[in-house]
Amino acid sequence: MATYLVMHTPKTAEELAVDDMVRPPTRLRELAEVHGADDAEPRWLTTWSPDLHEERLFSLWEAVDAKVIADVIESYGFLDDMVAHPIRVQPWGPKDVLTVED
């Protein structure tokens, strides 16, 4: 599976107006139980809330593609007042740099 960083940005006033229907409550606990498990597909790993002055949130997932993440986010109502932007990422850092042969 690939790793995806999802940036959640607040919907605009226009998007909220179009999406002004009554939404069921977020099923966050159920999302955590089902998609937080080690063998889940897709698997929700974590979410970051940067600080009080930042409106965006970021979540990290393992999945075969971005569409399955978007489908799960929608079906569970996860951060449904925001637009999700999944980006496939490849983690790397100092250890990876140091282990590469010249």
Side-chain angles (χ1 to χ4, degrees):
M1 282 196 285
T3 304
Y4 286 83
L5 179 66
V6 181
M7 181 174 60
H8 304 268
T9 56
K11 290 182 178 178
T12 64
E14 294 81 23
E15 289 170 318
L16 288 171
V18 169
D19 192 28
D20 198 24
M21 63 182 178
V22 175
R23 296 186 303 259
T26 297
R27 296 169 28 227
L28 191 57
R29 183 173 184 86
E30 187 178 351
L31 171 65
E33 290 170 348
V34 175
H35 290 281
D38 289 342
D39 60 346
E41 170 49 40
R43 184 174 170 217
W44 174 31
L45 301 172
T46 193
T47 299
W48 294 278
S49 302
D51 68 27
L52 296 176
H53 303 289
E54 174 63 60
E55 294 182 341
R56 297 175 299 172
L57 298 173
F58 300 88
S59 60
L60 189 65
W61 296 74
E62 290 178 339
V64 294
D65 61 45
K67 183 177 179 346
V68 295
I69 297 168
D71 291 346
V72 166
I73 286 172
E74 182 179 347
S75 67
Y76 285 87
F78 182 57
L79 301 174
D80 62 358
D81 59 338
M82 301 183 132
V83 178
H85 306 276
I87 304 164
R88 186 173 175 169
V89 294
Q90 179 65 41
W92 60 277
K95 290 180 183 179
D96 300 297
V97 172
L98 295 173
T99 58
V100 173
E101 293 183 27
D102 291 327

